[in-house]
Amino acid sequence: MLDRPLTSYYLVLGCSVMLLALGLTMVLSASSVKQLQETGSAYTLVQKQAMWMALGLPLMWAASRLPVKGFRALAFPMLLLSVGALALVLVPGLGRAAGGATRWISLGPLQIQPSEPAKLGLVLWGADLLARKEKLGQLTEWRPLLMPLLPGAGLLVLLVMLGNDLGTTLVLLTIFLALLWVVGAPARLFVGIAGLVALLVSILIVVEPYRMQRLTGFLDQSGNQLTFNYQGTQGLYALASGGLTGTGLGEGRAKWDFLPHAETDFIFAIIGEEFGLVGTLVVLGLFGLLTYAGLRIARRVKDPFTRLAAAGATAWLAVQAIVNIGAVISVLPITGIPLPLVSYGGSALIPTLIALGMLLAFAKREPGARQALAARGPGPLSRALSWLGLGPRGS
């Protein structure tokens, strides 16, 4: 089964749909109590999440049908838009702080987190840049390899750092390192850049008191359980109370004002409480299959841009899931980044869906995939249109 041409396509599509369905269900469960207290309706956040999903799914579908040259044409404009939007976050009156980081732009009732589409912008721009350099044979020395990729990625990282968003900084640096790895950067250069990244992250932690408190709390989890370690401790309690099969959907107790940010950063804890160990293993399995499919696409396609973009997007989603889940199970410090496709938030959901649509488009370019799609015949939408007399007529 795994050697079939469309394996990657169906894995990406199937895992995405199942994680989306799970996410919508768990956003309702995790947010219902708090929203009922604050707004009088238990459905406030799930309705917003459904609206974001309704906007994101057509964009995912459009991305899955976009040719490679379309993604390459969008690369530089998306990078410029990301830089401009991240700069607006730092403007007094526009940027809004939450959880120690300034991540949001307030536009009336609408709030946007520009650092999320910046991840997609870096993937596309970095892949396009390195693909052009590879075609020109300019990747044999470190200077043409890093210029202007390093300054461009550095500018995005700097703008995110100025907003004190360490979690997104880590993801952007991961995308940068993944692009270097896939393009075949010399081991000495890769190790040196990775060392600089580790040094930068260490400096970011040391210079910000609340990050140091989170780190020291992570290293000594037995103390400060009512202050710095409160969220992590409550997350572990939720996971532990779920047992093997969980308390049942909607029956969790952690969301009753015990666990902060249950619908965003710690939604995995609610999954563990209500679906137990079995539920958490299913989520891990879905992300594992999604990562496998993305790496399979990157390995099997022949076009350099497609290979780089697929690897960069896969690294982004996989590392973000690892960091989020690692924080919930207390093997990593809490950084405040969402679980892809599952956590509440449109700013994160829509770029993620576009990236998955891009992976679907690339999966169609694997060897034998086009022939398999053609042999499959018309899809259900085409058949429905033909029944209504609206489909394409035969010759």
Side-chain angles (χ1 to χ4, degrees), residues 253-270:
R253 294 177 291 273
K255 61 194 177 188
W256 288 80
D257 288 337
F258 292 106
L259 179 61
H261 307 294
E263 71 280 0
T264 52
D265 306 346
F266 270 66
I267 199 167
F268 187 76
I270 303 298

Side-chain angles (χ1 to χ4, degrees), residues 10 16 38-39 58 88 94 96 106-107 111 113 143 173 183 221 255 295 297 315-316 321 373 379:
Y10 287 123
S16 300
E38 294 183 353
T39 67
L88 287 177
L94 283 179
R96 188 178 72 84
S106 295
L107 300 174
Q111 294 178 343
Q113 188 175 356
R143 191 181 297 273
L173 291 172
V183 85
Q221 297 184 18
K255 61 194 177 188
L295 295 177
I297 294 168
W316 153 25
L373 283 170

Side-chain angles (χ1 to χ4, degrees), residues 112-329:
I112 301 172
Q113 188 175 356
S115 58
E116 293 296 334
K119 300 169 187 175
L120 180 60
L122 179 58
V123 167
L124 293 177
W125 176 73
D128 179 60
L129 178 66
L130 291 176
R132 293 178 190 276
K133 287 180 176 289
E134 182 174 329
K135 185 177 181 180
L136 297 174
Q138 296 180 346
L139 298 180
T140 55
E141 297 182 7
W142 71 270
R143 191 181 297 273
L145 175 63
L146 293 179
M147 299 297 172
L149 178 63
L150 181 60
L155 178 59
L156 285 178
V157 168
L158 176 63
L159 290 170
V160 173
M161 283 168 46
L162 290 174
N164 292 323
D165 189 353
L166 179 60
T168 302
T169 300
L170 288 172
V171 176
L172 290 173
L173 291 172
T174 297
I175 294 170
F176 174 68
L177 290 174
L179 292 173
L180 289 182
W181 177 268
V182 174
V183 85
R188 187 182 305 174
L189 175 64
F190 186 84
V191 171
I193 294 293
L196 286 176
V197 167
L199 178 63
L200 175 63
V201 172
S202 301
I203 293 172
L204 285 173
I205 293 173
V206 171
V207 299
E208 192 66 41
Y210 86 92
R211 291 200 194 106
M212 277 299 296
Q213 292 168 352
R214 281 186 176 180
L215 180 60
T216 54
F218 167 72
L219 296 174
D220 179 20
Q221 297 184 18
S222 61
N224 297 314
Q225 293 190 4
L226 295 178
T227 53
F228 310 128
N229 288 341
Y230 178 78
Q231 186 180 28
T233 301
Q234 293 298 321
L236 288 178
Y237 286 161
L239 287 170
S241 64
L244 181 62
T245 58
T247 59
L249 180 61
E251 299 296 325
R253 294 177 291 273
K255 61 194 177 188
W256 288 80
D257 288 337
F258 292 106
L259 179 61
H261 307 294
E263 71 280 0
T264 52
D265 306 346
F266 270 66
I267 199 167
F268 187 76
I270 303 298
I271 294 173
E273 182 183 24
E274 299 189 352
F275 291 107
L277 177 63
V278 174
T280 60
L281 291 178
V282 168
V283 173
L284 290 174
L286 289 173
F287 277 111
L289 286 173
L290 189 58
T291 302
Y292 166 77
L295 295 177
R296 186 178 189 269
I297 294 168
R299 182 176 60 86
R300 288 168 59 88
V301 294
K302 298 178 181 179
D303 174 57
F305 169 81
T306 306
R307 183 177 71 251
L308 287 161
T314 303
W316 153 25
L317 298 176
V319 168
Q320 186 161 322
I322 290 170
V323 172
N324 177 277
I325 294 172
V328 173
I329 63 176

